[in-house]
């Protein structure tokens, strides 16, 4: 039984790296939250983000949105399948609007000297952080932006 979980309705055999509008949810009258699927890797391809890269990118990209877009960012975190991340933003935001931030995000990533909050006071596994691995994973993803998917392939019955 799959239930009514949006992720389970996506055809993961056809899903490719990209930036997808996962859902827009009205959580109160005229108050919306937009969830994006930022898919770095093709599912079930035996090419996944390493835990080191995923954890490092989580710190870096969460920091970027928290500092550069503090009024919009709600949450940024990894998918358990190690193929990407979810980003939750306040309001109704389109994929194109989100993509406008990616050049600045790329510059931010490449301007860092180390992973933000890489210390035992701020992180429960601070030794599992590497700027080099984060940049390697980001560059692999970002260099393919002309091939990114933006429309979910939906499972057909």
């Amino acid at each position: 039984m799959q239930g009514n979980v949006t992720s389970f309705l996506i055809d993961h055999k056809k899903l490719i790296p990209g930036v997808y509008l996962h859902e827009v949810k009205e959580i109160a009258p005229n108050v919306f939250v937009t969830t994006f699927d930022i898919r770095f890797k093709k599912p079930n391809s035996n090419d996944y983000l390493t835990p080191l890269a995923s954890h490092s990118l989580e710190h870096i990209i969460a920091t970027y949105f928290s500092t550069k877009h503090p009024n919009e960012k709600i949450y940024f975190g990894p998918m358990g399948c190690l193929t990407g991340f979810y980003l939750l933003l306040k309001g109704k935001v389109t994929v194109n609007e989100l993509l406008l931030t990616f050049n600045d995000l790329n510059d931010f990533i490449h301007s860092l000297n180390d992973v933000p909050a890489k210390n035992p006071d701020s992180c429960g596994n601070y030794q599992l952080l590497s700027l080099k691995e984060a940049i390697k994973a980001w560059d692999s993803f970002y260099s393919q932006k002309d091939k990114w998917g933006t429309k979910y392939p939906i499972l057909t019955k």
Side-chain angles (χ1 to χ4, degrees):
M1 181 173 169
Q2 293 181 353
N4 195 16
V5 178
T6 304
S7 297
F8 298 161
L9 305 175
I10 299 160
D11 189 340
H12 284 73
K13 291 179 183 175
K14 296 178 182 174
L15 189 60
I16 62 172
V19 178
Y20 300 90
L21 177 62
H22 186 73
E23 71 178 348
V24 177
K25 189 176 225 174
E26 189 170 15
I27 59 169
N30 212 27
V31 178
F32 296 90
V33 173
T34 302
T35 302
F36 290 98
D37 170 336
I38 303 174
R39 189 69 60 154
F40 274 57
K41 301 288 186 174
K42 181 172 177 46
N44 303 307
S45 66
N46 292 320
D47 177 27
Y48 304 102
L49 290 166
T50 65
L52 182 63
S54 180
H55 186 209
S56 302
L57 284 165
E58 176 188 12
H59 274 239
I60 292 167
I61 298 173
T63 298
Y64 170 81
F65 279 99
S66 294
T67 57
K68 301 280 186 159
H69 303 279
N71 296 324
E72 293 87 20
K73 183 243 176 199
I74 296 173
Y75 171 79
F76 179 83
M79 295 177 181
C81 61
L82 295 173
T83 61
F85 302 87
Y86 286 113
L87 172 65
L88 281 68
L89 298 175
K90 293 177 190 172
K92 291 182 180 179
V93 183
T94 68
V95 169
N96 287 337
E97 289 169 329
L98 176 61
L99 290 176
L100 291 174
T101 68
F102 273 46
N103 285 335
D104 189 46
L105 173 56
N106 183 58
D107 292 344
F108 176 81
I109 290 169
H110 285 278
S111 74
L112 295 172
N113 294 319
D114 207 347
V115 176
K118 185 179 178 180
N119 63 69
D121 295 327
S122 301
C123 179
N125 195 358
Y126 77 99
Q127 293 178 25
L128 186 69
L129 293 169
S130 165
L131 182 61
K132 179 181 174 184
E133 288 300 310
I135 289 173
K136 180 179 165 186
W138 170 260
D139 286 349
S140 175
F141 171 67
Y142 194 64
S143 68
Q144 299 296 313
K145 65 184 175 189
D146 293 338
K147 299 177 185 174
W148 285 350
T150 57
K151 302 277 186 202
Y152 272 142
I154 303 300
L155 282 171
T156 56
K157 297 188 181 193

